[in-house]
Amino acid sequence: MFFCDGVYEKYGEKVKRTGIHGYINISGIFRASCNDGTLQATENVSKDDLYDYIKQFGFGTSVDIGLTGENAGILRSPGNWSLRSKMAIPMGQEISVNAVQIVKAATVFLNDGILIEPKIINKIYDPNNLTEIKFKRKELRRVLKPGVSQKVLD
């Protein structure tokens, strides 16, 4: 449980929020998009571990689904972070992602912690409307322990 008073301060830097949420859990942090709570939740995570967690969700690498112009987005390695980066990145700053990466990351919460490869096409039909090719679901890796994603969504 965390307490959001609307201001988070570390290393002489302040992050202010227009809303005050009071006591808030992880699920509430997601629901309210609470920066104060997000930063409290991540303050004891090292920058290397934070980077690794972000990579586990598929950010900073190309999704490779065959779309023209797809790229890996921007996720600098911890050696290139400033003191402010540790506070900015958990709030979605200093990082660039594409829509398919967001969808891919969301699969972790919808599949009990397992990252699923996104598909643009599920099935291909022949001229008689019969399934010719059906693409199978591909589990990439476990990102969260079983049950954790449900706690975030509750």
Side-chain angles (χ1 to χ4, degrees):
M1 189 66 77
F2 305 95
F3 185 78
C4 168
D5 62 0
V7 178
Y8 180 86
E9 187 171 358
K10 189 135 186 170
Y11 308 117
E13 297 282 338
K14 282 186 183 181
V15 175
K16 295 180 183 177
R17 168 96 176 141
T18 56
I20 296 174
H21 302 106
Y23 288 101
I24 192 165
N25 61 16
I26 293 293
S27 178
I29 289 170
F30 274 88
R31 200 173 305 111
S33 188
C34 177
N35 291 339
D36 188 357
T38 298
L39 295 174
Q40 289 178 53
T42 60
E43 72 183 358
N44 293 323
V45 178
S46 74
K47 64 182 184 178
D48 290 323
D49 285 343
L50 180 60
Y51 176 81
D52 290 342
Y53 289 137
I54 293 167
K55 294 286 278 186
Q56 282 293 309
F57 277 89
F59 298 116
T61 57
S62 180
V63 180
D64 292 328
I65 58 172
L67 293 177
T68 304
E70 183 187 355
N71 64 52
I74 298 170
L75 176 60
R76 293 177 294 121
S77 63
N80 293 316
W81 291 9
S82 69
L83 277 178
R84 182 128 177 103
S85 297
K86 177 74 169 40
M87 293 186 349
I89 292 170
M91 297 185 304
Q93 299 171 2
E94 295 189 23
I95 183 172
S96 171
V97 303
N98 63 50
V100 179
Q101 287 172 316
I102 295 286
V103 169
K104 182 179 181 181
T107 67
V108 170
F109 296 100
L110 301 173
N111 293 282
D112 197 26
I114 296 173
L115 186 70
I116 306 296
E117 180 179 73
K119 303 262 187 261
I120 299 298
I121 298 172
N122 186 36
K123 296 178 188 176
I124 297 177
Y125 296 93
D126 68 14
N128 297 317
N129 207 26
L130 299 173
T131 302
E132 194 168 302
I133 300 172
K134 181 171 177 21
F135 297 93
K136 294 181 181 178
R137 167 186 156 122
K138 183 177 179 186
E139 296 181 357
L140 299 174
R141 62 183 162 270
R142 177 163 289 285
V143 176
L144 299 175
K145 292 178 184 175
V148 170
S149 60
Q150 189 58 47
K151 290 179 183 176
V152 171
L153 296 175
D154 284 344

